[in-house]
Amino acid sequence: MKPRTLVIFGILGVGVAVFAILQAKKAQAMRLFEKIMFSLSGIGDVGMANGGLWLKLHFALTNPTAEDFYVNTNGAIQVKVMRMYLFGEQIGYATIPDFYQLDLRAGQTAILRDVKIEISPISLGTKLFDSIMKNKKNWANYTELLTKMSFEIDIDALGQIYTLKQSFA
């Protein structure tokens, strides 16, 4: 064979191998993200800016499986956006521009720190007012504000978007 033909076959072979590895990682990500546990792990700052409210929250992603998932390819796994809901209505949103390199080893937890969620004061105020009108002086029922709060986070892993949900119910 000519050296040129060998080089072409070598490049094709490497391309096929890289494609196969990416497909295997994508299949692994699909299996794993169905089992990942997503939870609120802490509250950072709270503030007001430009007529709106914001919260900085910390979230934990836990891999409960015996399977490691680690990709270090500068952007193969990115946390994209987060949404905050109260009584099923979206009241907050966070675009997450920083790259979070997720190292989800078996049984380990990755922490997403200082996720700044901007909250619509009108939506929040409406939900709080509705709860006050519904519960009046029955203070025990105000815990429903926490049990009806939920979060969604979108993660782009190897070109596939996975949505993880967390509620306090």
Side-chain angles (χ1 to χ4, degrees):
M1 269 194 211
K2 294 181 180 179
R4 185 172 150 187
T5 306
L6 288 174
V7 169
I8 290 172
F9 279 130
I11 291 171
L12 285 174
V14 169
V16 168
V18 168
F19 179 76
I21 290 169
L22 286 176
Q23 290 302 321
K25 277 293 185 185
K26 196 181 262 189
Q28 181 187 23
M30 188 176 286
R31 282 191 321 272
L32 186 64
F33 279 111
E34 290 175 356
K35 297 176 179 130
I36 292 293
M37 296 185 302
F38 166 59
S39 61
L40 178 67
S41 72
I43 298 174
D45 295 330
V46 178
M48 293 180 65
N50 302 326
L53 302 170
W54 57 265
L55 293 168
K56 281 191 178 176
L57 302 175
H58 313 302
F59 293 91
L61 295 171
T62 303
N63 178 0
T65 69
E67 187 173 7
D68 287 341
F69 188 76
Y70 179 71
V71 178
N72 186 7
T73 57
N74 294 332
I77 301 176
Q78 292 182 346
V79 180
K80 293 290 193 179
V81 296
M82 183 173 292
R83 292 171 296 281
M84 181 177 180
Y85 297 91
L86 185 59
F87 296 104
E89 182 181 317
Q90 184 175 332
I91 62 166
Y93 184 84
T95 302
I96 305 170
D98 298 327
F99 171 70
Y100 283 96
Q101 182 173 301
L102 296 179
D103 182 358
L104 294 173
R105 306 278 179 183
Q108 298 296 312
T109 299
I111 303 292
L112 305 177
R113 297 199 180 282
D114 295 325
V115 176
K116 187 176 181 181
I117 299 178
E118 297 187 20
I119 298 173
S120 166
I122 294 171
S123 297
L124 179 60
T126 301
K127 294 299 179 190
L128 290 174
F129 181 77
D130 291 346
S131 183
I132 290 168
M133 291 292 101
K134 178 181 168 188
N135 295 316
K136 303 271 183 206
K137 292 186 179 184
N138 188 355
W139 300 107
N141 287 343
Y142 282 100
T143 58
E144 78 176 350
L145 288 171
L146 289 177
T147 61
K148 299 297 181 180
M149 187 180 299
S150 62
F151 296 91
E152 289 181 348
I153 186 170
D154 290 344
I155 298 174
D156 181 352
L158 304 168
Q160 178 75 34
I161 299 292
Y162 300 93
T163 300
L164 305 177
K165 299 177 182 183
Q166 163 66 43
S167 77
F168 299 104

